Amino acid sequence: MDLEFDRQHIWHPYTSTLNPLTCYPVTKADGVRIELEDGKQLIDGMSSWWSAIHGYNHPHLNSAAHQQIDTMSHVMFGGITHQPAINACKKLLSLAPDNLEHVFLADSGSVAVEVSLKMALQYWHAKGDPRSKFLTLRHGYHGDTFAAMSVTDPDNSMHSLYKGFLPEHIFAESPACGFHDEWDPQDITDFKQQIQKHHSQIAAVILEPIVQGAGGMRIYHPEFLKQVRTLCDEYGVLLILDEIATGFGRTGKLFACEHADVQPDILCVGKALTGGYMTLSATLTSKEVADTVCGGEAGCFMHGPTFMGNPLACAVATASLDLIEKGEWEEQTKAIEQKFAELLPNLNQYKQVKNTRWLGAIGVVETHHPVNMEAIQILFVNHGVWIRPFGRLIYMMPPFISQSEHIEQLVGAVEAALQSEECFAI
Ligand SMILES: *Cc1c(COP(=O)(O)O)cnc(C)c1O
């Protein structure tokens, strides 16, 4: 592969053109493995950023894609509909929290978040009570487009760079109580004060239920989410749950909000929606939200992406949801969780380690110092795994089909990194 061309001309996520690290050339992927150009096989610990839950090159997903591509890859969604979209939305609604009745399809997670925020703004506009603020949590992540970034942690997403352009929203302290800790009633205090003080301006609360992903891999107590729902109801504020990372079984429940037994007014899903094959996301709402939005001045919801409802993506999403419906994810994520619970506490003995945590098919090692990306990436590849940490977080969210020996190999590689001085030399 022409890696020098790649290095000189192609931007990768969050990289510099000045002196980029060389990327690893991948030629194929199958099951839990990614194959490099030189034939080396890596156990995937990332599921390609939460998405490839069933593993790569899955026969059921492949067959859905082949059939659809031979029939119709794409057709516009304005004034036209098709069976792949109907199938995907029907399945999605049957699996999602049962108060949700309407689906808006989009291309990426960030756009699903933009759509959810626009819906909340249109909702209050239609009610003759326009509101322009969102309440969210520190350490959150909701995507890289502007509105999504405006509700993402101000430090992690460098709000200072876009000052004057980025709308300013309200941030409450993120919960300190971990999922397995005893609930501390103090945890909700700041959130409660913020909603009490600003509720008449707040269109919606937006947050990631139970697991805050890219903003810090924090796994928090379900009681926090329960109380958020109660406070939203008490103050008449909409609740948007961003399940783009957590949706479809990742936390050991189909949706993370089930840990707290709550339902959102608006739900965003993406990432694993097509089992990691295609880019597709969806924003789901209750009938009340949808009908209020559409009863307003605009008479409709003001959004319509070119590739909305892409048939190829919808066909693969339907196939992925078929696999979800079979229910094996539940046993699989439970087994992965048990393995993490067995192996991760051993890592607390290393001086680099600040904390280890896990839930469902997510395992996190937080270190005291940031990792040296170049060194740790080389070590992981030498150990036959693909794990891509950021900052002080080494985290794993392997495909659900991973067996215990795969989890052992992933955690073993993390242990080797913790023993290496080089991986923490800056
Ligand atoms: C990844 C992610 C997004 C953004 O999705 P993209 O497809 O990258 O635009 C939004 N919210 C959460 C919680 C995510 O994990």
Side-chain angles (χ1 to χ4, degrees), residues 49-50 107-113 141-145 148 208 211-214 242-246 268 270-271 279-281:
W49 281 336
W50 313 84
D107 319 330
S108 73
S110 300
V111 173
V113 169
Y141 178 77
H142 297 287
D144 289 350
T145 54
E208 296 153 278
V211 180
Q212 291 188 292
D242 178 348
E243 294 241 17
I244 291 165
T246 52
C268 302
K271 290 200 163 102
T279 175
L280 183 71
S281 67

Side-chain angles (χ1 to χ4, degrees), residues 106-224:
D107 319 330
S108 73
S110 300
V111 173
V113 169
E114 299 282 328
V115 162
S116 73
L117 301 174
K118 283 175 74 171
M119 283 178 174
L121 294 176
Q122 270 195 249
Y123 175 90
W124 289 106
H125 192 274
K127 282 192 170 269
D129 176 12
R131 299 175 178 199
S132 59
K133 293 289 180 199
F134 291 94
L135 171 58
T136 184
L137 300 179
R138 292 198 172 273
H139 299 291
Y141 178 77
H142 297 287
D144 289 350
T145 54
F146 274 102
M149 199 168 38
S150 74
V151 289
T152 287
D153 186 85
D155 301 324
N156 281 318
S157 61
M158 308 206 72
H159 281 199
S160 55
L161 291 179
Y162 313 101
K163 211 173 166 58
F165 191 73
L166 210 55
E168 290 183 12
H169 295 302
I170 306 160
F171 289 85
E173 291 305 325
S174 66
C177 249
F179 188 91
H180 300 102
D181 296 342
E182 200 180 317
W183 168 245
D184 174 2
Q186 288 298 329
D187 239 23
I188 194 76
T189 309
D190 189 51
F191 182 91
K192 198 178 203 167
Q193 283 170 355
Q194 302 288 354
I195 201 169
Q196 271 168 351
K197 189 163 157 205
H198 301 290
H199 65 90
S200 62
Q201 294 169 272
I202 298 174
V205 166
I206 177 165
L207 47 79
E208 296 153 278
I210 307 299
V211 180
Q212 291 188 292
M217 297 303 297
R218 298 161 70 100
I219 305 174
Y220 63 85
H221 202 290
E223 184 61 27
F224 185 90

Side-chain angles (χ1 to χ4, degrees), residues 3-25:
L3 296 184
E4 205 38 44
F5 178 88
D6 182 274
R7 229 175 75 83
Q8 289 188 8
H9 299 285
I10 307 181
W11 244 310
H12 286 263
Y14 289 92
T15 51
S16 163
T17 57
L18 295 176
N19 190 23
L21 299 182
T22 302
C23 286
Y24 288 91

Side-chain angles (χ1 to χ4, degrees), residues 240-423:
I240 303 170
L241 292 183
D242 178 348
E243 294 241 17
I244 291 165
T246 52
F248 309 110
R250 178 56 65 181
T251 68
K253 300 273 187 194
L254 194 50
F255 293 97
C257 60
E258 294 169 23
H259 288 286
D261 207 12
V262 302
Q263 298 190 330
D265 301 297
I266 306 178
L267 174 72
C268 302
V269 294
K271 290 200 163 102
L273 175 57
T274 64
Y277 268 50
M278 312 278 303
T279 175
L280 183 71
S281 67
T283 307
L284 284 66
T285 71
S286 66
K287 183 166 165 54
E288 199 251 332
V289 169
D291 290 353
T292 305
V293 164
C294 299
E297 182 189 336
C300 64
F301 178 57
M302 294 289 286
H303 206 95
T306 305
F307 286 97
M308 186 169 184
N310 176 255
L312 194 48
C314 287
V316 181
T318 304
S320 177
L321 296 172
D322 285 343
L323 298 178
I324 290 284
E325 272 178 347
K326 285 198 177 144
E328 282 169 65
W329 63 269
E330 202 161 0
E331 286 301 308
Q332 292 168 330
T333 57
K334 197 176 283 169
I336 294 171
E337 176 172 88
Q338 277 167 4
K339 211 67 203 162
F340 280 140
E342 174 193 326
L343 300 173
L344 290 180
N346 295 332
L347 303 185
N348 292 325
Q349 65 179 296
Y350 295 103
K351 66 173 195 307
Q352 287 294 354
V353 176
K354 186 174 173 201
N355 174 263
T356 54
R357 45 194 187 258
W358 55 87
L359 182 70
I362 307 169
V364 185
V365 177
E366 183 175 346
T367 57
H368 289 290
H369 301 288
V371 301
N372 178 320
M373 269 306 268
E374 191 168 12
I376 205 165
Q377 208 81 93
I378 292 170
L379 179 140
F380 283 148
V381 169
N382 284 339
H383 277 78
V385 303
W386 181 249
I387 301 174
R388 192 169 164 81
F390 61 83
R392 298 185 299 102
L393 295 163
I394 306 173
Y395 61 104
M396 292 159 277
M397 56 275 196
F400 299 169
I401 56 164
S402 304
Q403 301 296 306
S404 56
E405 68 262 26
H406 303 133
I407 307 300
E408 281 161 17
Q409 196 169 337
L410 290 167
V411 177
V414 172
E415 181 162 17
L418 294 170
Q419 291 167 320
S420 144
E421 297 277 320
E422 224 181 326
C423 289

